[in-house]
Amino acid sequence: LLATTQLFPGGRQRVLALPAFLLVLLAGLAGWTQRYQPAASFLLAWIIFLCTGIVFAMLQVGVLPANSWTEGSLIAGTMCLVFLWSIALADQVNAINREKQEAQARLLSEQAQALRLKEEYSSDLQQANDELMLMIAERERTEAILAESEQEVRAVLDQAFQFIGLMTPDGTLIEANQTALSFAGIQRADVVKKPFWETPWWRHSATEQERLKEAIRKAAAGQFVRYETTHLSPDGVEHIIDFSLKPVRD
């Protein structure tokens, strides 16, 4: 067997270099198994360099004869190592460039998608705004028609000779024509949104107030009610009134 000093004339330092070579080879093999493209050139470079190193070491200890191949093996291995490392570096640069281009392409695609979504959102927002403006215009037109219709109805009611009013089923007065208001000498705000039996037309008689409450209950149940009652004018004169309640259904 050959001694360590015969195989490796450099002594212990060269022996320690062997594990380092093995670690480098294992690292390259791990990268290659993970489909890291530059690892193939890196691994091949170290294998060739290791083989040429072994040939040169065997030449030094006399195992192999001296010739142009064995004497130039270490130089050739170094040249292959540099060449393949250059290829691995070029592959790495190309991979980085590809990743950069792919990242830029993804960024441009995301920007284009964001711009498209913005345009769609703006279009939808504009459409919603147009629809809202149409709804507002339609509502204003409807309110104007209702206001005009209400004025026309009020004008007709105010010109009537009869006392005319409108109340809810619970007896709350919500409307009274001018003829009825003028008879009692009051304003619309004095009686609207108040129980009908508490208005000036009925305050003169508790009996008539109770009679009115009963009539309101019957009208709320859907009955037509008619009877003769009395109202007092502001000067205290009692007037006989032909009073009636008629339910109005939607």
Side-chain angles (χ1 to χ4, degrees):
L1 296 176
L2 296 175
T4 302
T5 55
Q6 291 177 314
L7 284 173
F8 301 97
R12 191 177 300 275
Q13 293 179 353
R14 296 194 177 182
V15 173
L16 293 176
L18 182 59
F21 274 112
L22 293 176
L23 288 175
V24 172
L25 287 175
L26 290 175
L29 183 62
W32 180 67
T33 55
Q34 294 178 1
R35 296 184 179 181
Y36 180 60
Q37 186 173 356
S41 300
F42 179 81
L43 182 62
L44 180 60
W46 277 107
I47 291 174
I48 293 175
F49 183 73
L50 180 60
C51 292
T52 56
I54 293 173
V55 171
F56 185 77
M58 295 176 70
L59 171 65
Q60 295 297 316
V61 298
V63 176
L64 294 177
N67 54 43
S68 58
W69 292 101
T70 55
E71 291 177 349
S73 60
L74 189 59
I75 297 176
T78 303
M79 294 177 63
C80 288
L81 180 66
V82 173
F83 175 72
L84 291 174
W85 272 7
S86 300
I87 295 177
L89 181 61
D91 289 341
Q92 178 66 18
V93 172
N94 290 333
I96 293 175
N97 288 333
R98 284 195 300 270
E99 291 177 358
K100 182 179 179 181
Q101 292 175 356
E102 291 175 356
Q104 291 177 345
R106 287 195 300 270
L107 180 60
L108 291 175
S109 177
E110 291 175 356
Q111 289 178 345
Q113 184 177 4
L115 181 60
R116 180 177 58 80
L117 291 175
K118 180 180 179 181
E119 292 176 351
E120 291 179 356
Y121 177 77
S122 299
S123 178
D124 294 341
L125 184 61
Q126 182 63 38
Q127 183 178 358
N129 185 64
D130 293 341
E131 293 177 356
L132 179 61
M133 295 302 294
L134 289 175
M135 291 175 61
I136 293 175
E138 182 65 22
R139 180 175 179 179
E140 291 178 348
R141 188 177 69 85
T142 302
E143 290 178 351
I145 293 174
L146 289 176
E148 183 178 357
S149 176
E150 183 180 355
Q151 291 177 356
E152 292 176 353
V153 171
R154 177 170 291 279
V156 172
L157 293 178
D158 289 343
Q159 295 299 320
F161 291 101
Q162 295 88 355
F163 300 166
I164 302 174
L166 185 66
M167 73 181 76
T168 61
D170 64 355
T172 301
L173 187 66
I174 58 177
E175 195 58 74
N177 70 340
Q178 189 60 44
T179 304
L181 296 173
S182 298
F183 173 83
I186 57 178
Q187 301 294 324
R188 181 175 178 272
D190 298 332
V191 292
V192 170
K193 297 183 180 179
K194 293 182 179 180
F196 189 34
W197 53 85
E198 295 181 2
T199 59
W201 298 290
W202 306 95
R203 290 175 186 169
H204 65 286
S205 174
T207 302
E208 293 299 325
Q209 287 178 326
E210 293 300 322
R211 191 179 180 188
L212 173 62
K213 291 178 183 179
E214 181 62 24
I216 291 173
R217 283 192 290 269
K218 291 181 179 180
Q223 298 182 30
F224 174 75
V225 180
R226 182 179 180 182
Y227 62 90
E228 191 175 272
T229 185
T230 60
H231 289 340
L232 293 182
S233 61
D235 56 5
V237 177
E238 185 178 77
H239 296 265
I240 299 175
I241 304 297
D242 183 8
F243 178 76
S244 63
L245 284 176
K246 181 178 182 181
V248 179
R249 294 180 175 84
D250 293 338

